[in-house]
Amino acid sequence: MSEFLREYGRRARTRLLPGLFRAVLQIVLAFTVNLPLFILAVLSIVFIPLGVGVVLVPTVFQAIRSIADQQRTWAAEWSGVRIPVPYRPEPAGPVGPWRRLRWLLGDPASWRDLLWTILNVPVALVLGVLAGGLAVYGLEGVFLAPLLSRVDGYGWGPFWPLEDWGAAGIAGSVVLGAVVFVVSWPVGPFFLKAHALFGQSLLAPTRAALAARVERLAETRSEAVDASAAELRRIERDLHDGAQARLVALSMNIGLAEEMLKHDPEMAQKLLAEARESSGTALTELRDLVRGIHPPVLAERGLDGAVRALALTLPLPVDVHIDLSGRPGGGSGSVGGSGSVGGSGPVGGSGPVGGGRLEAPVESAAYFAVAEMLANVVKHSGARRAWLQIEHTGDRLIMIIGDDGTGGADPAAGSGMRGIERRLAAFDGTMAVTSPPGGPTVVTLELPCALSSPRTSPS
């Protein structure tokens, strides 16, 4: 019997007391945070025509999202209820007050958060009282009811007033209070889970959003498969028309040189010289082909070093700022065409070249997207200067490519930008283009990704 009581006491300390604290916390937050935020949200929306709401609405709705995210965390940790985040990604590029306002109010999840904010007040009160109040009420019946039995008008449970029931009422309150306390131990987590499920009904993505997400994933997967097939056909064509043809010519020249070595050594020497030249050209084409599949510098030095090396090959100066170190203040500098380098060091600036590393597929997609955009700058923009900024903030890689060219770039008009957009879409990435006539052109690319710790290479 004593062993049973000790085990029950241990479980009460590890489950009942935390459950009581969590229930009280939900009630307090509902009345001290949710209710004021709902009132502020309504007032800020009303004040939009006055201009004040343009600033207040994003602040208040971001605060509501923070509280909702905390509820998602508690639902998963306390009750095992997973609530996915349904918010639309923040717009790429510069985000002004009006654009941020449209982004927040145009997201259906913002309005569901607002509805949850007000409905959670009565729901948290009822379920919180049931989850934590039963244990407190049971303890009252066991310990306080006998002491307050002679107080006029006091009662507990069915014994009202308690003094009219006498000893039977006191014994009944003790026994019934103990039963309520014992029952509250398994029932408390049930009501906490009910509260988590209520939050899931409003804070999780809707079925329509999930269906749209599935459709989008199917579309990007199809585009990725098509792009992969096109890339394989390009590689096959380049091998067949380039390196393979030169290797066949090389073999024929060597065969002719063998036959003519005894009869015409001078001609054989010319054929061998042509064979050597063909082998060098074939090797160059193979290297270019491999570089087009996955540049060796990308594997060796990561996105930072590969992009800086790419900028060195351009015929115009490029201002480069890259921060993949996970902390502010990455390397920056000016990289000029034809090997001219501004700043200090081989790639300008004094920041670290290495920084963190991305996953290989994401790193490759980011590199080729930047390479394609810089190629467009050289071919079509007529720019005298370009700039490139790559930063990893939070869980997103942001790449901004700009130039002082003629502008007028339209992603719908050419296949180059559309190809970049499809490449990024396979990773849930986005592309935003700002290119008024006369310039400048600014392209913002975003990729959701995690940053690993920097790799250390031997010196």
Side-chain angles (χ1 to χ4, degrees):
M1 183 66 178
S2 61
E3 183 67 25
F4 170 77
L5 292 177
R6 281 197 296 271
E7 178 65 17
Y8 184 83
R10 184 186 66 81
R11 294 188 178 183
R13 288 192 301 273
T14 57
R15 297 189 61 180
L16 185 60
L17 295 180
L20 176 61
F21 169 76
R22 293 165 182 173
V24 173
L25 181 61
Q26 292 286 13
I27 296 174
V28 171
L29 287 180
F31 280 89
T32 61
V33 178
N34 282 39
L35 188 57
L37 280 178
F38 177 80
I39 296 173
L40 284 175
V42 173
L43 291 177
S44 61
I45 292 173
V46 173
F47 290 153
I48 288 178
L50 302 179
V52 181
V54 177
V55 179
L56 288 179
V57 167
T59 304
V60 174
F61 272 79
Q62 288 288 11
I64 292 176
R65 288 189 175 189
S66 299
I67 299 301
D69 286 337
Q70 184 60 62
Q71 288 292 332
R72 294 184 181 95
T73 301
W74 285 344
E77 293 178 352
W78 296 351
S79 305
V81 177
R82 183 176 176 273
I83 306 177
V85 177
Y87 305 124
R88 294 175 179 175
E90 189 172 352
V95 181
W98 283 102
R99 192 178 182 192
R100 181 176 294 274
L101 179 68
R102 289 194 300 270
W103 165 56
L104 285 169
L105 296 186
D107 190 346
S110 298
W111 298 100
R112 292 171 64 83
D113 284 355
L114 187 62
L115 180 61
W116 168 82
T117 303
I118 187 60
L119 293 182
N120 187 54
V121 175
V123 172
L125 176 62
V126 173
L127 295 180
V129 167
L130 291 175
L134 288 177
V136 176
Y137 195 60
L139 292 175
E140 179 189 351
V142 174
F143 296 105
L144 291 181
L147 299 177
L148 303 176
S149 60
R150 296 188 179 279
V151 175
D152 291 338
Y154 176 79
W156 187 92
F159 308 108
W160 287 87
L162 187 56
E163 61 179 348
D164 292 348
W165 290 81
I170 295 175
S173 64
V174 172
V175 173
L176 190 57
V179 172
V180 170
F181 180 78
V182 172
V183 170
S184 68
W185 172 58
V187 170
F190 170 79
F191 287 114
L192 283 177
K193 186 170 185 178
H195 183 264
L197 292 174
F198 158 74
Q200 186 185 51
S201 66
L202 289 175
L203 300 180
T206 63
R207 290 185 177 273
L210 290 175
R213 173 67 175 157
V214 170
E215 183 179 355
R216 176 61 177 165
L217 288 175
E219 180 183 349
T220 56
R221 183 182 63 178
S222 176
E223 291 178 348
V225 171
D226 292 342
S228 177
E231 187 71 8
L232 289 175
R233 288 193 297 269
R234 182 189 68 81
I235 294 172
E236 181 182 8
R237 183 177 63 253
D238 290 348
L239 286 173
H240 181 272
D241 297 341
Q244 179 178 320
R246 296 191 182 278
L247 290 175
V248 170
L250 172 64
S251 176
M252 293 176 62
N253 284 343
I254 292 176
L256 289 173
E258 287 178 347
E259 293 181 1
M260 302 185 67
L261 190 60
K262 296 179 181 179
H263 307 291
D264 192 350
E266 185 176 351
M267 180 59 69
Q269 187 176 2
K270 291 182 179 180
L271 290 173
L272 289 175
E274 291 179 6
R276 183 173 64 251
E277 183 180 352
S278 296
S279 66
T281 305
L283 183 59
T284 301
E285 290 180 352
L286 286 174
R287 285 174 177 168
D288 292 341
L289 183 61
V290 170
R291 193 175 294 111
I293 298 172
H294 191 80
V297 68
L298 182 61
E300 295 170 2
R301 300 172 58 189
L303 182 63
D304 189 328
V307 168
R308 292 178 186 274
L310 175 66
L312 281 170
T313 64
L314 298 180
L316 73 164
V318 181
D319 295 325
V320 179
H321 172 86
I322 301 178
D323 180 14
L324 298 179
S325 60
R327 58 183 183 273
S332 62
S334 176
V335 181
S338 304
S340 62
V341 182
S344 61
V347 288
S350 57
V353 175
R357 291 298 297 267
L358 307 169
E359 294 183 0
V362 176
E363 204 169 51
S364 178
Y367 173 80
F368 283 111
V370 171
E372 180 70 24
M373 290 309 310
L374 290 177
N376 286 345
V377 170
V378 174
K379 293 178 183 177
H380 308 298
S381 70
R384 292 175 297 178
R385 194 172 191 87
W387 57 91
L388 170 63
Q389 179 177 345
I390 302 178
E391 292 184 351
H392 188 274
T393 58
D395 59 350
R396 303 185 74 80
L397 179 70
I398 302 176
M399 300 166 285
I400 302 175
I401 304 98
D403 64 75
D404 60 356
T406 57
D410 183 7
S415 59
M417 286 190 175
R418 285 288 299 137
I420 296 173
E421 199 169 18
R422 286 192 298 268
R423 186 189 292 270
L424 298 181
F427 299 90
D428 277 347
T430 59
M431 179 180 73
V433 180
T434 302
S435 184
T441 297
V442 178
V443 180
T444 303
L445 312 174
E446 289 195 17
L447 276 173
C449 60
L451 191 65
S452 66
S453 58
R455 298 179 184 174
T456 304
S457 57
S459 58

